[in-house]
């Protein structure tokens, strides 16, 4: 954690021509979760989000609707504010770039840069993509098309104003090398450094009003407005008081994280730092670019009409489950595939079976056998001490991962802890033990309940609704020490809470015939080239569940390094789902997907078998999931 006790995080400000979809919701939920964690760790936090309201697309949409651009923005912004409220997002400020304070500060920056000679006037011709609201050089086009929108841009030649970005090239390369956390993850940093190997051009920062009037007017030429990105990027400083309240600004700036998607890396990692340097403003600490949510291998976006609405999902599954899934299933930095099936698998396995089941077991047993009062911890043995020491270490582990923006690992740690408690209950069997020894059972239930309370607190930033309900039910010594083991008050009443996450029954699908087993054959020799056609990788099992009506099969999701996959494996008679979860296995990575019992299987798990025995192959020491096996 940085020494500064304040923590400032931003999301991109979203274009108002789209209603928010899962992609927008993702970055915003991510910022919310990180902020809530930091606040609960005791830091003072500021979370800024908002909307990017100027530019050609907004003007065009407003024209189509026959209303003014401002009216269009005022209408559209409601969709964002409404979605964020329903997703339980608690931002500190929602900035709109059409607000007077922002426009005024943008003009002041422009005027300063003009006076300092950082901006100059020139004739310019270039390929302009309306979708991206930016010029492309010929080299950047793909088959003459904009690389983002795959549509031909317009060639435009006109007088414009330019920011002397090129003069900062060497400085920026040096800065990125000297500040290893400035751009994360590493592969994005390398991408930016690769981009900076080409000569950096000056940035066109104006649009003539004859072509675009919906923007911030240049203070030194009223026939022009400023380029939408020059206006938009400055929201990160104007949103915390820049040129309005220096004290506030000093308190929050530089930002700890600008969270963005990988689509806007150049604007954030090249334009923005050079603009700040020219304006004499310190640079943000980290720009973190996450991957895309994909649908059927394409980026989810309005233009591709493959969007999932976060509000529809909340309607079906509840806000906490949606927040959990998005954070849990995207490994920060990589792309993730969105399918409702994966969502349901994750939900059933971790929220219903692990977390929900633990809450249910603990509360039912305490209610039935201890008059609903928290029992006393008397004489902890080895099994108890194992859970207690896991619990003692858990808060610090989660904090370490959150500080490093490793939310997957933070979530993993809490879920693993919950699984360990469930396993502990299987060993101790308090439902049987209570008939023989009420004191011993009390100890077991104290340990399980205290573990559950701790997990609920550590999951609170992710699932504030359900976890609040749980946390309120537990009587504690001191709510401030919520991450400390041993806060639960024996003898006090355990409050009520509803069933946390009822299982989702997936709609029954037409069963497919089981794949035919190839008969045992004498081993044929194959060419080395044929062998090379198969690609093997390591993969960590994230979830596993039985498939109804197929007693040999497990449906498994794995982390295969750069992506997640779903596999159907015929190992259910040899491995219980909870036994296989967490194992690093070996998969055949380039098999064509097949449907088994109507469920898509994207690869196979390698296993050795002999007569009735079967064992999956695992690497014999720790290695990253996705490592090549050769
Ligand atoms: O680019 N998966 O706004 P925008 C994950 N106004 N994240 C996604 C996503 C997907 N499929 N689709 C969108 C703009 N996002 C500018 C930003 S900032 C000064 C100006 C998220 O409405 C992701 O954070 O196109 C991405 O960077 C952002 O939405 C783009 O939002």
């Amino acid at each position: 954690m940085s020494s500064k006790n304040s923590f400032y995080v931003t999301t991109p400000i979203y274009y108002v021509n789209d209603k928010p979809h899962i992609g927008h919701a993702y970055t915003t939920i991510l910022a919310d979760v990180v902020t809530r964690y930091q606040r609960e760790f005791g830091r003072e936090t500021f979370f800024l989000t908002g909307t990017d309201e100027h530019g050609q697309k907004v003007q065009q949409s407003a024209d189509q609707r026959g209303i003014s651009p401002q009216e269009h923005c005022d209408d559209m912004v409601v969709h964002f504010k409404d979605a964020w409220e329903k997703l339980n997002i608690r931002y500190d400020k929602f900035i709109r770039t059409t607000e007077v304070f922002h426009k005024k500060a943008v003009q002041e920056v422009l005027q300063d840069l003009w006076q300092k000679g950082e901006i100059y006037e020139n004739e310019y011709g270039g390929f302009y993509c309306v979708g991206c609201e930016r010029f492309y050089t010929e080299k950047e086009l793909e088959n003459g098309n904009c690389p983002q929108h795959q549509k031909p841009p317009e060639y435009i030649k006109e007088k414009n104003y330019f920011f002397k970005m090129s003069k900062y090239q060497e400085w920026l390369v040096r800065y990125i090398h000297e500040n290893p956390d400035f751009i994360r993850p590493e592969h994005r940093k390398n991408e930016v450094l690769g981009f900076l190997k080409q000569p950096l051009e000056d940035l066109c920062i104006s649009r003539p009003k004859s072509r675009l009037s919906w923007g911030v007017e240049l203070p030194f030429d009223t026939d022009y407005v400023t380029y939408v990105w020059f206006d938009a990027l400055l929201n990160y400083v104007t949103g915390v008081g820049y040129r309005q309240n220096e004290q506030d600004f000093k308190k929050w700036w530089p930002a700890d994280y600008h969270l963005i998607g990988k689509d806007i890396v150049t604007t954030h990692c090249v334009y923005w730092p050079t603009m700040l340097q020219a304006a004499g403003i310190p640079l943000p600490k980290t720009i973190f670019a996450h991957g895309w949510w994909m649908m059927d291998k394409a980026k989810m976006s309005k233009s591709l009409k493959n969007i999932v609405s976060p509000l529809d999902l909340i309607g079906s599954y509840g806000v906490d489950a949606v927040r959990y899934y998005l954070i849990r299933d995207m490994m920060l930095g990589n792309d993730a595939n969105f399918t409702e099936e994966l969502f349901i698998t994750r939900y059933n396995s971790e929220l219903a079976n692990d977390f929900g089941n633990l809450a249910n077991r603990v509360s039912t047993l305490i209610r039935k056998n201890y008059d609903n009062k928290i029992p006393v911890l008397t004489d902890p043995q080895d099994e108890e001490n194992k859970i207690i020491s896991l619990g003692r270490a858990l808060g610090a582990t989660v904090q370490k991962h959150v500080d490093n923006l490793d939310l997957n690992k933070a979530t993993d740690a809490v879920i693993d802890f919950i699984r360990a408690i469930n396993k502990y209950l299987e060993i101790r069997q308090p439902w049987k033990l209570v008939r023989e020894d009420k004191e011993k059972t009390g100890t077991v239930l104290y340990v399980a309940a205290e573990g559950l309370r701790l997990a609920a607190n550590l999951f609170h930033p992710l699932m504030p609704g359900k976890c609040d309900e749980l946390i309120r039910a537990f009587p504690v010594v001191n709510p401030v020490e919520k991450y400390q083991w041993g806060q639960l008050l024996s003898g006090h009443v355990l409050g009520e809470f509803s069933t946390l996450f009822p299982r989702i029954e997936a709609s029954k699908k037409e069963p497919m015939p089981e794949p035919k087993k190839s008969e045992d054959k004498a081993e044929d020799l194959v060419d080395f080239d044929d062998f090379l056609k198969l690609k093997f990788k390591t993969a960590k099992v994230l979830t596993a569940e039985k498939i109804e009506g197929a007693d040999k099969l497990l449906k498994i999701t794995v982390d295969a390094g750069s992506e997640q996959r779903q596999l159907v494996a015929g190992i259910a008679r040899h491995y219980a789902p909870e036994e296989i979860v967490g194992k690093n296995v070996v998969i055949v990575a380039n098999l064509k997907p097949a449907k088994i019992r109507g469920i898509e299987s994207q690869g196979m798990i390698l296993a050795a078998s002999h007569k009735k025995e079967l064992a999956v192959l695992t690497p014999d020491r720790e290695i990253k999931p996705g490592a090549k096996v050769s």
Side-chain angles (χ1 to χ4, degrees):
M1 199 201 275
S2 107
S3 53
K4 184 173 98 164
N5 197 41
S6 62
F7 179 84
Y8 172 34
V9 69
T10 68
T11 71
I13 46 170
Y14 305 109
Y15 290 131
V16 281
N17 52 329
D18 265 11
K19 283 188 192 164
H21 60 66
I22 282 291
H24 304 116
Y26 173 69
T27 322
T28 320
I29 292 171
L30 178 64
D32 184 58
V33 171
V34 173
T35 312
R36 283 175 187 262
Y37 268 120
Q38 293 296 350
R39 197 183 309 133
E40 297 198 3
F41 295 154
R43 294 176 83 177
E44 249 192 296
T45 57
F46 198 94
F47 164 16
L48 179 74
T49 189
T51 40
D52 188 355
E53 302 191 353
H54 289 122
Q56 203 152 336
K57 276 186 281 185
V58 173
Q59 191 172 326
Q60 280 171 350
S61 305
D63 288 349
Q64 273 164 17
R65 292 180 63 197
I67 55 176
S68 74
Q70 189 65 60
E71 280 171 313
H72 175 65
C73 294
D74 292 348
D75 275 359
M76 293 302 290
V77 80
V78 176
H79 295 294
F80 285 85
K81 289 192 168 169
D82 184 45
W84 300 163
E85 193 182 322
K86 295 202 167 101
L87 281 164
N88 215 343
I89 283 162
R90 261 205 253 155
Y91 48 77
D92 292 286
K93 187 175 177 69
F94 189 104
I95 188 170
R96 301 181 56 185
T97 52
T98 50
E99 286 176 275
V100 174
F101 76 88
H102 171 77
K103 293 193 284 190
K104 192 167 156 276
V106 170
Q107 287 188 320
E108 284 176 19
V109 174
L110 284 164
Q111 184 66 35
D112 270 8
L113 295 181
W114 174 246
Q115 276 163 354
K116 285 205 260 177
E118 296 280 348
I119 291 174
Y120 65 94
E121 184 189 320
N122 201 1
E123 180 87 3
Y124 179 76
F127 297 93
Y128 188 75
C129 170
V130 177
C132 299
E133 310 224 2
R134 60 167 278 200
F135 281 102
Y136 280 96
T137 61
E138 204 162 356
K139 270 187 290 182
E140 285 175 299
L141 300 179
E142 285 172 5
N143 302 322
N145 287 333
C146 156
Q148 293 283 339
H149 293 88
Q150 296 301 330
K151 281 189 196 149
E154 240 179 293
Y155 186 81
I156 291 173
K157 198 170 164 75
E158 64 199 6
K159 176 189 117 171
N160 261 311
Y161 289 88
F162 290 82
F163 163 52
K164 288 185 183 162
M165 190 160 73
S166 61
K167 79 178 209 201
Y168 293 102
Q169 178 160 14
E170 263 177 51
W171 162 82
L172 182 57
V173 171
R174 211 172 337 111
Y175 187 88
I176 295 172
H177 281 299
E178 283 169 6
N179 294 275
D181 282 340
F182 180 55
I183 301 169
R184 287 181 58 199
E186 194 71 16
H187 57 275
R188 295 282 163 239
K189 182 208 298 188
N190 294 335
E191 214 174 88
V192 174
L193 287 169
F195 175 84
L196 288 169
K197 288 208 167 101
Q198 310 285 331
L200 188 60
E201 291 177 12
D202 287 343
L203 181 66
C204 176
I205 56 133
S206 65
R207 301 288 178 260
K209 274 194 188 164
S210 54
R211 186 150 63 78
L212 171 73
S213 59
W214 187 236
V216 178
E217 194 173 85
L218 291 188
F220 43 85
D221 188 339
T222 52
D223 287 339
Y224 284 80
V225 295
T226 195
Y227 171 44
V228 66
W229 275 101
F230 203 92
D231 155 17
L233 285 162
L234 281 164
N235 94 85
Y236 297 136
V237 288
T238 64
V240 281
Y242 182 60
R243 291 187 182 254
Q244 310 135 68
N245 182 335
E246 280 308 303
Q247 214 177 337
D248 273 1
F249 182 58
K250 253 204 179 127
K251 176 167 176 187
W252 300 113
W253 191 259
D256 289 76
Y257 287 112
H258 286 325
L259 301 176
I260 61 168
K262 66 178 184 183
D263 46 336
I264 51 178
V265 167
T266 311
T267 46
H268 281 76
C269 301
V270 179
Y271 299 3
W272 180 225
T274 54
M275 282 167 63
L276 288 168
Q277 179 71 357
I281 306 172
L283 267 51
K285 287 186 206 153
T286 298
I287 299 165
F288 198 109
H290 61 72
W292 283 338
W293 279 99
M294 316 279 279
M295 276 285 267
D296 303 324
K297 303 203 171 76
K299 181 192 172 208
M300 206 182 281
S301 73
K302 192 182 175 193
S303 46
L304 294 173
K305 296 197 172 63
N306 62 350
I307 54 177
V308 177
S309 153
L311 299 186
D312 291 350
L313 269 186
I314 300 176
S316 310
Y317 305 111
V319 52
D320 289 304
V322 172
R323 290 171 60 106
Y324 181 81
Y325 173 73
L326 291 179
I327 297 300
R328 177 82 170 117
D329 264 45
M330 181 174 279
M331 225 153 310
L332 262 184
N334 299 339
D335 291 342
N337 205 24
F338 186 94
T339 72
E340 206 153 334
E341 210 171 1
L342 278 176
F343 179 98
I344 294 175
T345 306
R346 180 69 81 187
Y347 175 102
N348 279 342
S349 141
E350 294 181 359
L351 295 181
N353 288 5
D354 295 333
F355 194 27
N357 191 19
L358 176 62
N360 189 33
R361 278 170 153 178
V362 166
S363 61
T364 311
L365 286 166
I366 294 181
R367 198 163 302 133
K368 251 172 80 180
N369 303 297
Y370 295 84
D371 201 17
N372 212 19
K373 299 212 175 84
I374 306 288
V376 182
L377 175 83
T378 39
D379 184 18
Q381 305 292 308
D382 278 1
E383 292 299 335
E384 282 69 39
N385 286 331
K386 270 192 225 160
I387 300 294
I388 294 173
S389 62
L390 286 176
R392 288 217 162 103
L394 191 61
T397 307
V398 169
Q399 180 161 0
K400 182 185 81 191
H401 292 318
V402 171
D403 280 343
N404 198 32
L405 218 63
D406 247 333
L407 291 183
N408 279 102
K409 287 194 186 150
T411 323
D412 260 346
V414 183
I415 272 292
D416 284 351
F417 179 61
I418 289 172
R419 286 198 181 121
I421 305 174
N422 274 325
K423 247 186 206 154
Y424 160 74
L425 290 178
E426 296 295 335
I427 295 169
R428 287 288 190 236
Q429 308 247 325
W431 40 90
K432 283 192 191 150
L433 187 66
V434 74
R435 283 180 240 140
E436 298 152 25
D437 190 333
K438 221 167 157 193
E439 192 178 292
K440 260 193 191 158
T441 312
T443 292
V444 174
L445 290 178
Y446 182 95
V447 169
E450 175 58 353
L452 172 62
R453 180 202 66 79
L454 184 65
N457 276 285
L458 285 163
F459 263 162
H460 182 256
L462 227 78
M463 299 181 278
K466 295 280 184 188
C467 290
D468 258 342
E469 215 185 302
L470 258 186
I471 293 166
R472 271 199 304 268
F474 286 95
V476 290
V477 182
N478 178 2
V480 178
E481 301 293 333
K482 54 185 177 262
Y483 297 147
Q484 299 297 322
W485 180 271
Q487 287 298 309
L488 200 51
L489 273 173
S490 301
H492 288 246
V493 171
L494 175 67
E496 294 283 323
F497 51 85
S498 53
T499 305
L500 284 189
F501 298 103
R503 255 188 94 78
I504 304 168
E505 295 306 332
S507 57
K508 292 220 165 59
K509 290 203 177 115
E510 194 59 3
M512 296 260 294
E514 274 208 59
K516 271 197 191 139
K517 261 200 185 160
S518 66
E519 284 168 26
D520 276 347
K521 270 197 256 166
E523 271 154 18
D524 293 327
L525 297 179
V526 293
D527 286 332
F528 185 59
D529 284 352
D530 286 335
F531 170 70
L532 284 183
K533 282 185 195 153
L534 288 175
K535 303 266 183 282
F536 302 97
K537 270 189 194 176
T538 61
K540 187 170 178 210
V541 179
L542 300 172
T543 67
E545 64 175 313
K546 293 203 161 141
I547 297 174
E548 228 181 271
D551 56 357
K552 289 184 198 155
L553 301 179
L554 284 186
K555 188 162 93 176
I556 285 174
T557 50
V558 294
D559 163 11
S562 55
E563 49 168 3
Q564 273 190 22
R565 291 191 181 207
Q566 174 176 291
L567 310 168
V568 176
I571 57 171
R573 291 207 174 136
H574 308 273
Y575 288 90
E578 58 276 14
E579 202 183 339
I580 192 87
V581 167
K583 278 198 197 304
N584 208 359
V585 296
V586 179
I587 62 166
V588 187
N590 61 339
L591 277 184
K592 282 194 186 138
K595 282 220 163 157
I596 301 174
R597 294 277 177 135
I599 300 169
E600 183 164 285
S601 183
Q602 303 153 331
M604 283 173 89
I605 293 185
L606 294 193
S609 61
H610 177 67
K611 295 195 176 148
K612 285 193 169 163
E613 283 174 82
L614 180 141
V616 298
L617 301 190
T618 62
D620 97 324
R621 59 174 70 156
E622 262 313 297
I623 187 148
K624 224 176 106 3
K628 197 170 133 197
V629 177
S630 51

